[in-house]
Amino acid sequence: MKKILILSIIVLLGFWACQSPLEGFELGFKDPIEKAKIEIHFYNPSGSLPTDLKISFAGPDSNLVVTNLNTKKFKVSPEGLLIVAVSPDVIPSSDKPVKFTIVADASGFTKSTRMVVFTNQSNQGVWIPMFNENNPPAGVSSKEVTIPNTQGGVLSANQIISTGTQKPENASLVLVAGTQLTDIENKPVAGNLNVSIQHFDNRGATRGFLPTGGIATNPVDVNGKSLANPFDLPNFAGFVSVVMSNAQGQIVKQLSKPLELSLELNPATYNPRTKTNIKAGDMLPIFSFDIDKYQWKAEGESKIIQEGSKLIAKLNISHLTDWIAGWDREICRQGPTFVFKSNFNDVDMGYYCQVVNSRTNQLLHEFFTGIGNGWVFTLSYLAKDADYIQFKVFNYNGYWGGNSSNPIAVTKELEFCNPQSVEVDVRSIPTPPSVEVAFDIVCSSGKTVDVDALPATFKIQYSEVGKNNWQDLIEMRRPNTTARTYKVREKNTYDFRASTDGGVTWPYKQLNKYLESTRISYRIEDKGFCK
């Protein structure tokens, strides 16, 4: 690990030297940890993150958790990002995994608890929603309660937990006295238990909370045997997420006696089997998604019953995870692969593409993908809404526009689920203008640049002026001192910011800056960069 260097630098962006607010800015940095790290993104689906958000780590190896700068000063960025890593003194392995639990809590919000396991030095990423109990997103109810002490991990009394009655449909749990609670390693989970439960109906935008977007790539049946085909859930009736944990960070996975989950259902839910809205007596397919195994499982079916004015599915469940009610649809595991033939190979922008029904020209799917020369794009895990398709490419990108009406390349008719390779000639798209980003390091006579003294990574983001809508521009890694981007254009005005700690903090800022030329230059005059 490199020692901290304190740099006094002069930063020039284009011709902005005279007005640069960064002149003489002192920056302290050290190389961020790049292995066995996890980027944790916290967000509030219905507003801003709570100001009193508290993050802690529990579990057997929580003492090995450090920030990506190898400190214990854990702080979530204004954007909700926290990057932590396994201590560089430890190398996780299958024989000696590193396990810990992320605990996020704030007043008025349901506590979120997530287990993390490292079995190697690969990096991970996770998005963790924080649900405001009094102001959840439309279609969501969220509740947190505490179950009294469980001796030896065995419940001493029956427990009833409900998400409340804030919306038309809700959910409730009934746990039975004498139930043994165990974690993923089959160890008893004792002590007071925090229970977080969320219910998602099928109104509004709740589909966005379905695990993996509701796409099951490698599902198994109730016995753990692989199913022949992947599926998605175009019609779902609702789902529930349940997490139980103790103060030591243990998370309950198994119950010796099934709990009863009552899932109230929207009566306007469409049943694709009967081609009418659901009613009592309909059979409702049930699935689970285990976030720790990243595994979808078909759990059988539940008969819809009516209690008063409510339609309800009642499930007896013996493992805690996400439980989803809906009708599955077989999807294509892999379709055609498109190999692009173009004038360029380093353009860092995606171009607009469509998949259409070749017989009716109906739009089936749309994407943005890179189309560099030799680059490939494969249609995978998509609903087979047509037997035959065509693939269209447009000279349009999401950064500075183009023509999204008239395609510049259209393939021949193709079988949707045939994994064939198809060349797509997009050479009629001209190479777009680029902007160069560079470290210009000035050394005195007889000295040369010591690239090892530069930050290990240098990230730059940009935004429309005043919008604070930051997007990645480039990430420069030592020993490179130049990079090229096509996302911004000269003769335009942007806000810029830069980071040397992997994106946790952004101490360099250049706001409302006009790109006079096609070069963004960071001019550095410091003998610490020379040898």
Side-chain angles (χ1 to χ4, degrees):
M1 180 64 64
K2 293 173 66 68
K3 66 179 182 179
I4 295 178
L5 301 178
I6 302 299
L7 311 177
S8 177
I9 70 175
I10 298 176
V11 178
L12 306 180
L13 291 180
F15 297 99
W16 310 333
C18 295
Q19 294 82 25
S20 172
L22 302 180
E23 189 166 338
F25 183 83
E26 288 194 353
L27 170 67
F29 74 86
K30 57 182 177 180
D31 287 359
I33 299 171
E34 293 293 346
K35 296 180 179 179
K37 69 177 182 180
I38 179 169
E39 292 192 2
I40 311 168
H41 300 264
F42 300 96
Y43 69 101
N44 175 6
S46 54
S48 301
L49 277 173
T51 56
D52 63 343
L53 179 62
K54 298 176 182 177
I55 309 301
S56 59
F57 300 93
D61 300 315
S62 56
N63 62 310
L64 300 179
V65 181
V66 296
T67 70
N68 67 325
L69 295 180
N70 200 16
T71 74
K72 291 286 186 176
K73 298 178 180 179
F74 303 111
K75 184 178 181 181
V76 179
S77 75
E79 290 87 0
L81 176 65
L82 174 63
I83 305 178
V84 301
V86 176
S87 169
D89 297 330
V90 176
I91 299 178
S93 66
S94 298
D95 294 333
K96 293 183 178 180
V98 173
K99 302 178 182 180
F100 57 90
T101 302
I102 305 166
V103 181
D105 199 10
S107 57
F109 286 74
T110 301
K111 181 181 291 187
S112 184
T113 306
R114 185 72 61 87
M115 187 175 73
V116 176
V117 179
F118 282 93
T119 58
N120 53 47
Q121 290 188 295
S122 296
N123 296 328
Q124 302 181 30
V126 63
W127 287 79
I128 298 180
M130 300 296 299
F131 291 104
N132 187 321
E133 293 190 3
N134 295 318
N135 183 33
V140 180
S141 56
S142 189
K143 189 74 173 178
E144 175 187 345
V145 300
T146 299
I147 293 179
N149 181 57
T150 57
Q151 295 292 339
V154 178
L155 289 176
S156 57
N158 294 346
Q159 300 289 338
I160 301 175
I161 303 168
S162 172
T163 58
T165 58
Q166 293 182 347
K167 55 191 189 77
E169 295 88 37
N170 296 280
S172 62
L173 308 175
V174 178
L175 295 100
V176 182
T179 301
Q180 172 78 62
L181 308 174
T182 53
D183 64 13
I184 197 170
E185 296 177 340
N186 208 32
K187 296 178 180 178
V189 182
N192 291 340
L193 293 176
N194 175 273
V195 182
S196 296
I197 176 173
Q198 285 92 35
H199 172 252
F200 304 82
D201 64 29
N202 59 359
R203 295 180 171 88
T206 51
R207 172 173 292 280
F209 295 107
L210 277 169
T212 69
I215 299 174
T217 56
N218 291 291
V220 298
D221 65 16
V222 70
N223 297 313
K225 182 180 178 181
S226 294
L227 296 177
N229 296 300
F231 63 81
D232 68 354
L233 297 169
N235 299 97
F236 75 98
F239 61 104
V240 174
S241 177
V242 183
V243 178
M244 295 185 187
S245 60
N246 64 11
Q248 290 71 46
Q250 277 184 290
I251 298 176
V252 176
K253 295 294 289 187
Q254 304 291 336
L255 302 96
S256 63
K257 297 181 180 181
L259 65 78
E260 182 183 80
L261 168 62
S262 293
L263 177 63
E264 297 176 358
L265 306 171
N266 175 5
T269 299
Y270 178 74
N271 184 340
R273 292 180 180 174
T274 63
K275 302 190 185 310
T276 61
N277 289 346
I278 59 172
K279 61 183 182 303
D282 285 358
M283 299 304 296
L284 182 59
I286 304 297
F287 305 89
S288 68
F289 176 75
D290 189 324
I291 194 169
D292 298 315
K293 298 178 181 178
Y294 218 71
Q295 182 70 71
W296 279 86
K297 179 184 288 188
E299 299 277 4
E301 296 186 324
S302 174
K303 180 181 288 189
I304 298 175
I305 63 174
Q306 185 152 5
E307 292 185 352
S309 62
K310 297 287 187 180
L311 292 176
I312 299 175
K314 291 196 173 183
L315 319 177
N316 292 317
I317 63 179
S318 297
H319 61 100
L320 294 186
T321 183
D322 292 345
W323 286 83
I324 304 98
W327 294 267
D328 55 311
R329 170 183 63 177
E330 183 181 319
I331 59 178
C332 294
R333 187 177 297 278
Q334 183 176 330
T337 293
F338 304 102
V339 182
F340 297 105
K341 189 175 184 179
S342 71
N343 296 313
F344 45 79
N345 58 22
D346 66 340
V347 172
D348 55 348
M349 300 185 300
Y351 282 79
Y352 180 58
C353 303
Q354 293 181 345
V355 176
V356 301
N357 183 324
S358 58
R359 305 294 170 87
T360 67
N361 203 39
Q362 176 191 3
L363 177 62
L364 303 177
H365 304 283
E366 53 189 346
F367 315 89
F368 282 89
T369 183
I371 58 171
N373 192 46
W375 292 15
V376 299
F377 178 73
T378 300
L379 300 181
S380 56
Y381 301 113
L382 295 176
K384 185 182 177 182
D385 294 323
D387 291 325
Y388 298 95
I389 61 167
Q390 287 180 299
F391 185 71
K392 300 181 178 182
V393 183
F394 299 78
N395 185 11
Y396 180 91
N397 64 75
Y399 294 92
W400 36 267
N403 187 330
S404 61
S405 300
N406 301 312
I408 55 85
V410 181
T411 68
K412 64 181 181 180
E413 184 175 78
L414 304 166
E415 291 184 70
F416 199 163
C417 292
N418 184 353
Q420 60 186 302
S421 180
V422 180
E423 183 178 86
V424 183
D425 191 338
V426 294
R427 286 177 296 176
S428 58
I429 295 182
T431 303
S434 65
V435 169
E436 184 182 43
V437 182
F439 275 121
D440 287 337
I441 303 170
V442 180
C443 294
S444 58
S445 178
K447 298 286 186 177
T448 59
V449 175
D450 182 6
V451 294
D452 288 335
L454 288 172
T457 62
F458 195 77
K459 297 183 69 171
I460 301 176
Q461 292 185 334
Y462 76 101
S463 170
E464 290 183 65
V465 174
K467 295 293 183 64
N468 209 36
N469 182 23
W470 297 102
Q471 300 182 65
D472 290 336
L473 186 64
I474 62 101
E475 180 172 342
M476 199 181 304
R477 291 181 174 270
R478 197 171 55 219
N480 298 318
T481 57
T482 62
R484 187 174 303 278
T485 182
Y486 298 81
K487 297 177 182 178
V488 295
R489 308 182 79 173
E490 67 171 321
K491 312 305 181 186
N492 283 270
T493 304
Y494 305 93
D495 289 341
F496 292 93
R497 67 179 186 177
S499 171
T500 59
D501 61 8
V504 178
T505 62
W506 300 89
Y508 294 116
K509 286 188 177 179
Q510 289 280 314
L511 305 180
N512 195 27
K513 291 305 176 183
Y514 180 69
L515 278 184
E516 181 67 34
S517 73
T518 59
R519 180 179 172 89
I520 302 175
S521 177
Y522 286 78
R523 179 180 172 87
I524 301 176
E525 298 179 1
D526 189 285
K527 62 183 180 181
F529 288 120
C530 302
K531 61 181 179 180

